Amino acid sequence: MGIIDKIRSINPKKLDLDNKKMIENLITTFLNIIEGLLQRDQKNKEEIQKLKDEINHLKGEKGKPEFKPNLPRKENDICKEKKAKEWKKRSKKQYVKVDTIEILKVDKGALPPDAIHKGYRCVVVQNVNFTTNNVKFKMERYYSPSEKKVYEAKLPKEVDGEFGPQLKAFIHTLYFACRVTENKIQTLLSERGIIISKGQISNILIKDKQEKFSKEKNDILTAGMECSNYFHIDDTGARHNGMNYYTHAICNQFFSAFFIRPRKNKETIKAILGLKNGEKINKIMLSDDARQFKLLALYHALCWLHEVRHFKKLNPFLEWHRKKLIWVLSEIWEFYESLKEYKENPNECQKKYLELKFDELFSAKTGYKELDKRIVLTKEKKNELLLVLTYPEIPLHNNPAELALRELVIKNKVSYGTKSEDGRIAWENMMTIMNSCKKNTISFMDYVEDISSGRYRMTRLCEVIRKNSMGDSTSY
């Protein structure tokens, strides 16, 4: 007999009011039904409003404007909050590069006779000199009448076309690191005396040294995957040539690599990872619980913060259910803190305790139907959520991948995505190099200039990644 049939058959006069267990179960059932009806009512209201807005749009009118309510934070909005660090102003003088020193003298005529020289007080003023550095090369020429041939001095190796490597690196930095659009870059450069068209800027960004930058990206990916026993993976929406695409991010503490593809299915990810049919990558893969990431790695760890989001989405109406949710969330965060402590000092005794604690926490019965369903679903992911007990070096969350993708999301909003295949490849290359430079404290602009000039005086990023991984305890 279903719940509705049981309710229909209830006779209030025949209820055994002394049977507390029966009364409690009955009230719990009613509360869940009421909660379900309130949730359904809210969804129906939202759907009706959407339909009304759509009708108004079809009539050429505006829909209902969306205003965020000025409401206090809900009690169940429990999230991890970092304690605000006490801020203290520190001197920057020791970090500032000094290019010029000027000695300022005191007017001797204003000094009293007994004035004694006490050295100098230093004030560092930061400034920038943004101007052109155009060079006219006068190439010496000789002509041989006997050979009927002209001999001419060669341009420097780093000169390729009418724009120098420093200017090219500056354009890349403005576009990718600072999110400046091509037309604004042209405006800025024109005001400083650089004669350049938007087409030339586009060619510098997407075509110039494309093979070199693609090699850098591939080398970064190879080195990054070799030098750590785990990696993060995630994806987000993108636009390419007016179509919906997806940006995939693969990263760890040493690198980030990006791939813009038309799909986000399992086959796409296998191709990115270089996996053949039936093959799994021999690394720990850390992701959210999206289906496309399943069965791709021998070891798959799940993000705790993503798991908590499922609980926070419940947002019950009834106070009784809200209190139950608050209690469960507080218990989860307490368990999360215990996992963080375990990572700092792993031991077998604590490992067994946390496994038992997980089973106890995610076997709880609260009486709130939707919450209990969520608890059961989380318990089914025990192996993936507790992989950190076997490999304490892996993070508890997938934030690095989300943070890496955030830059691409903002860039998509600014530039409306890529327009051509060259543009797509350029975005993948430059975002990979830029993010990996940041993780290894290397200047992106200097690195791009080094490649654009063909000098290759800087240590390659792939080599820096390998070197840095040698001193990290989580790498091989």
Side-chain angles (χ1 to χ4, degrees):
M1 185 182 293
I3 293 176
I4 300 299
D5 293 327
K6 288 181 179 179
I7 294 173
R8 285 174 178 168
S9 63
I10 290 176
N11 186 342
K13 293 183 178 181
K14 294 183 178 182
L15 287 177
D16 183 3
L17 299 180
D18 294 327
N19 189 339
K20 293 183 179 181
K21 186 66 177 177
M22 186 266 291
I23 297 298
E24 182 181 339
N25 290 337
L26 186 62
I27 293 174
T28 300
T29 301
F30 283 144
L31 288 176
N32 281 308
I33 291 173
I34 293 169
E35 182 70 51
L37 291 173
L38 289 171
Q39 294 284 356
R40 189 184 304 172
D41 181 60
Q42 181 64 29
K43 289 181 180 179
N44 288 339
K45 287 179 179 178
E46 292 173 358
E47 186 64 29
I48 291 170
Q49 186 59 53
K50 287 180 182 178
L51 292 173
K52 286 182 177 179
D53 290 344
E54 183 63 26
I55 291 171
N56 286 333
H57 286 310
L58 291 173
K59 291 181 176 180
E61 301 173 1
K62 293 182 179 180
K64 181 181 178 180
E66 184 178 354
F67 294 103
K68 293 183 179 180
N70 294 321
L71 297 176
R73 180 182 172 205
K74 290 183 180 179
E75 192 178 359
N76 71 316
D77 285 343
I78 302 173
C79 60
K80 293 298 293 176
E81 293 180 350
K82 296 182 179 179
K83 293 182 180 179
K85 294 181 179 179
E86 186 178 349
W87 182 83
K88 292 182 179 179
K89 187 174 181 180
R90 297 188 178 118
S91 173
K92 299 187 291 290
K93 289 182 181 179
Q94 58 181 321
Y95 306 107
V96 175
K97 176 189 174 186
V98 177
D99 300 295
T100 305
I101 297 177
E102 291 188 17
I103 298 177
L104 304 178
K105 297 287 187 177
V106 174
D107 181 7
K108 299 297 193 296
L111 293 174
D114 61 345
I116 302 172
H117 188 267
K118 290 293 185 179
Y120 299 88
R121 183 175 73 89
C122 294
V123 176
V124 179
V125 178
Q126 296 185 75
N127 200 3
V128 65
N129 186 16
F130 180 36
T131 185
T132 58
N133 186 28
N134 299 332
V135 180
K136 178 189 284 187
F137 292 99
K138 297 181 69 174
M139 296 175 290
E140 191 176 28
R141 310 183 81 197
Y142 284 87
Y143 176 74
S144 170
S146 61
E147 296 181 1
K148 296 182 180 179
K149 183 178 178 180
V150 174
Y151 289 85
E152 185 177 86
K154 294 182 179 180
L155 286 166
K157 184 180 179 180
E158 63 268 18
V159 176
D160 182 16
E162 58 182 305
F163 304 105
Q166 287 180 323
L167 177 59
K168 291 178 180 179
F170 184 55
I171 290 172
H172 277 99
T173 303
L174 287 174
Y175 185 77
F176 290 104
C178 303
R179 308 173 194 143
V180 183
T181 58
E182 292 178 14
N183 62 326
K184 293 299 182 182
I185 293 174
Q186 184 197 29
T187 300
L188 176 63
L189 295 177
S190 297
E191 288 183 353
R192 278 294 176 263
I194 298 292
I195 300 174
I196 187 170
S197 68
K198 283 187 287 187
Q200 290 168 322
I201 291 173
S202 179
N203 286 335
I204 290 171
L205 290 170
I206 69 174
K207 293 183 178 180
D208 190 60
K209 299 290 189 299
Q210 186 186 95
E211 291 183 5
K212 302 290 185 183
F213 290 124
S214 292
K215 184 179 184 305
E216 287 285 333
K217 174 200 166 185
N218 293 332
D219 290 346
I220 288 169
L221 175 63
T222 301
M225 293 295 283
E226 287 176 353
C227 294
S228 182
N229 63 344
Y230 74 88
F231 67 95
H232 299 268
I233 189 168
D234 202 358
D235 54 55
T236 188
R239 294 287 287 177
H240 172 66
N241 196 24
M243 304 292 289
N244 288 328
Y245 269 54
Y246 298 91
T247 300
H248 302 264
I250 296 176
C251 64
N252 58 33
Q253 67 271 46
F254 303 115
F255 85 105
S256 297
F258 301 95
F259 306 84
I260 301 172
R261 298 292 185 268
R263 296 178 181 83
K264 64 172 184 177
N265 55 18
K266 195 180 297 291
E267 295 305 315
T268 298
I269 301 171
K270 281 183 178 179
I272 291 173
L273 295 174
L275 299 175
K276 299 177 182 177
N277 289 335
E279 189 179 8
K280 293 183 180 180
I281 191 166
N282 189 20
K283 298 277 184 184
I284 301 171
M285 181 176 71
L286 208 160
S287 76
D288 57 21
D289 199 25
R291 289 183 298 174
Q292 64 267 27
F293 300 131
K294 296 182 184 297
L295 304 177
L296 289 176
L298 291 177
Y299 308 97
H300 187 191
L302 290 180
C303 172
W304 271 93
L305 300 187
H306 273 87
E307 194 62 28
V308 172
R309 288 175 193 172
H310 293 305
F311 288 87
K312 293 175 68 178
K313 286 179 180 178
L314 292 177
N315 196 24
F317 282 90
L318 301 180
E319 187 63 23
W320 177 252
H321 290 162
R322 190 181 296 278
K323 287 181 178 179
K324 294 290 184 181
L325 178 59
I326 290 171
W327 175 78
V328 170
L329 281 170
S330 64
E331 290 292 309
I332 291 175
W333 284 127
E334 185 177 333
F335 185 79
Y336 184 82
E337 290 298 324
S338 298
L339 288 176
K340 288 169 65 177
E341 293 173 4
Y342 173 84
K343 281 169 57 64
E344 295 296 323
N345 183 29
N347 61 82
E348 193 62 28
C349 182
Q350 185 70 359
K351 177 182 178 182
K352 290 180 180 178
Y353 166 76
L354 288 172
E355 288 175 342
L356 292 173
K357 182 67 176 176
F358 182 94
D359 290 336
E360 179 187 347
L361 174 58
F362 294 103
S363 298
K365 300 293 183 182
T366 67
Y368 174 15
K369 183 179 178 181
E370 294 303 316
L371 177 58
D372 288 343
K373 284 182 181 179
R374 187 68 255 165
I375 290 173
V376 171
L377 291 172
T378 299
K379 188 176 182 180
E380 293 174 356
K381 305 170 190 175
K382 177 181 177 180
N383 292 337
E384 292 83 359
L385 288 170
L386 293 188
L387 192 63
V388 67
L389 297 181
T390 305
Y391 301 97
E393 67 272 18
I394 65 175
L396 292 169
H397 53 74
N398 201 33
N399 280 1
E402 290 193 358
L403 290 173
L405 285 171
R406 189 174 297 171
E407 189 67 35
L408 272 295
V409 171
I410 298 172
K411 185 64 183 165
N412 263 288
K413 290 180 179 179
V414 173
S415 300
Y416 304 107
T418 54
K419 307 297 188 300
S420 64
E421 280 302 296
D422 286 333
R424 181 185 63 81
I425 294 170
W427 276 39
E428 290 183 355
N429 293 341
M430 303 314 294
M431 288 299 185
T432 296
I433 294 171
M434 183 180 73
N435 204 288
S436 301
C437 278
K438 183 178 181 180
K439 289 186 175 181
N440 292 278
T441 61
I442 294 173
S443 167
F444 173 65
M445 186 156 60
D446 290 346
Y447 198 78
V448 173
E449 181 190 342
D450 192 54
I451 298 172
S452 296
S453 67
R455 298 189 188 102
Y456 289 92
R457 294 173 181 171
M458 297 178 68
T459 305
R460 294 300 91 204
L461 258 171
C462 58
E463 296 176 21
V464 174
I465 290 170
R466 289 189 173 97
K467 181 181 177 181
N468 288 343
S469 69
M470 297 299 289
D472 189 274
S473 59
T474 64
S475 61
Y476 287 126

